[in-house]
Amino acid sequence: MTDPIFIERNGHRTWLKWHRGRRRLSDPVFTGARILEAMRLGASVEVDLVVTGDKGMAVLHDLTLDRETTGQGPVAAASDAMIRELQLRGNDGAPIADKVMLLDDLCALMAAGNVHPDALLQLDYKEDETVLDAAAIAKFARATGPVARNMIVSSGSAAAVKLLTGAVPGMRSGFDPSDEARFRAAIAGGTLQGFVDDAVAALDGTDLIYLYWEIVTKSADAGFDMVAAFHQHGKRIDAWTIREASAATKPVVERLLALKVDQITTDDPEGLLALVG
């Protein structure tokens, strides 16, 4: 099978982002082997980051350890050394052989791993700017600096993105303005262009705007091409998240492709490419 990197449709290329490091739906999340595989292929891949008790960053989605790892309690109360001893859990909740990684570990893998120049690792920071003290920012900068050319930092907090990217020369930035209440107000009030303009103004120099996929399709239903509106500002659009490739998700994906989103976040990039590619 062709490697699931992007889909070409009507002269437009849409990248398939490996959500949480998954190539296919059956994969466990955040394993170093899959993430490095994606990076070697030149794919786009996403991981989540949560601040630890030592002000490092764990490659995890949740603020607690219980669901994703063999640990318990808040990530913020766990030392880096303790987190490194934990195992990840698979899709069935059972422990797997892979250990939880810190951002330092992932960056070391990339530095030694013959990463493709086109590969892009999204570091999706799951907390807000208040957690980012000088120690956390310094550790982030030390870890990512040598491999920043293949990275982009994203968050729903523009302030957090500014703090992190400001510490790392060459680090790209992404912003997620997918606030449900704000979007509902914009669509009800006919101010979707304002929604776009506000998102662009929130973070200067943003490379990618991350939108929940229904924001894209519901805007189109209302007669507003949100993708084109962001493109007018020179921004690329990532539509998240298509969980699986199925008969139910195929029409959604086809519509996103027709609307020319630049990237689709999915837990099943291999299946999605087979479904519509």
Side-chain angles (χ1 to χ4, degrees):
M1 171 177 279
T2 303
D3 292 318
I5 300 174
F6 55 77
I7 295 172
E8 296 272 6
R9 185 68 58 86
N10 298 323
H12 183 76
R13 176 173 292 182
T14 298
W15 292 80
L16 298 176
K17 188 177 74 190
W18 298 24
H19 185 225
R20 299 182 292 176
R22 279 174 154 171
R23 179 178 177 129
R24 56 181 69 100
L25 189 61
S26 59
D27 286 339
V29 301
F30 302 138
T31 63
R34 272 290 195 236
I35 294 167
L36 194 57
E37 176 187 351
M39 300 302 286
R40 285 172 171 165
L41 290 173
S44 180
V45 60
E46 179 262 4
V47 298
D48 300 315
L49 297 178
V50 181
V51 177
T52 71
D54 288 334
K55 298 301 181 178
M57 291 192 180
V59 181
L60 293 170
H61 175 277
D62 296 352
L63 300 184
T64 57
L65 296 164
D66 306 64
R67 184 178 67 91
E68 296 175 289
T69 83
T70 51
Q72 292 183 322
V75 176
S79 69
D80 289 355
M82 189 195 98
I83 285 172
R84 281 189 167 114
E85 292 301 312
L86 299 176
Q87 292 167 266
L88 290 167
R89 293 188 182 275
N91 298 326
D92 60 358
I96 62 174
D98 298 76
K99 295 288 185 70
V100 179
M101 287 188 293
L102 296 177
L103 179 59
D104 308 62
D105 305 322
L106 180 53
C107 290
L109 277 179
M110 287 177 60
N114 193 27
V115 169
H116 192 285
D118 294 335
L120 185 62
L121 177 66
Q122 178 193 350
L123 305 175
D124 195 24
Y125 175 66
K126 306 309 290 186
E127 302 187 71
D128 65 22
E129 68 278 6
T130 64
V131 186
L132 295 172
D133 62 9
I137 294 169
K139 282 194 171 187
F140 177 86
R142 282 197 298 271
T144 61
V147 289
R149 67 188 180 278
N150 289 107
M151 288 181 164
I152 182 169
V153 177
S154 67
S155 176
S157 166
V161 174
K162 289 176 184 177
L163 287 170
L164 294 172
T165 58
V168 188
M171 180 71 77
R172 283 175 275 187
S173 65
F175 180 52
D176 187 344
S178 302
D179 181 276
E180 184 178 359
R182 188 175 299 166
F183 174 69
R184 284 183 177 179
I187 203 166
T191 58
L192 287 170
Q193 184 63 54
F195 178 91
V196 171
D197 295 341
D198 288 346
V200 171
L203 192 61
D204 291 337
T206 310
D207 289 295
L208 269 164
I209 298 291
Y210 299 89
L211 294 174
Y212 177 51
W213 69 263
E214 283 195 46
I215 289 179
V216 176
T217 58
K218 286 182 177 179
S219 295
D221 291 341
F224 183 79
D225 189 336
M226 186 164 283
V227 177
F230 275 111
H231 283 172
Q232 284 291 317
H233 284 286
K235 309 302 180 186
R236 299 172 63 232
I237 294 297
D238 175 301
W240 57 267
T241 296
I242 304 299
R243 299 292 181 188
E244 62 182 4
S246 67
T249 59
K250 184 175 182 179
V252 173
V253 175
E254 291 286 4
R255 193 166 189 209
L256 293 173
L257 292 172
L259 289 166
K260 298 187 183 302
V261 299
D262 302 286
Q263 190 162 270
I264 294 175
T265 298
T266 177
D267 285 293
D268 193 8
E270 187 171 272
L272 212 61
L273 182 63
L275 185 71
V276 302

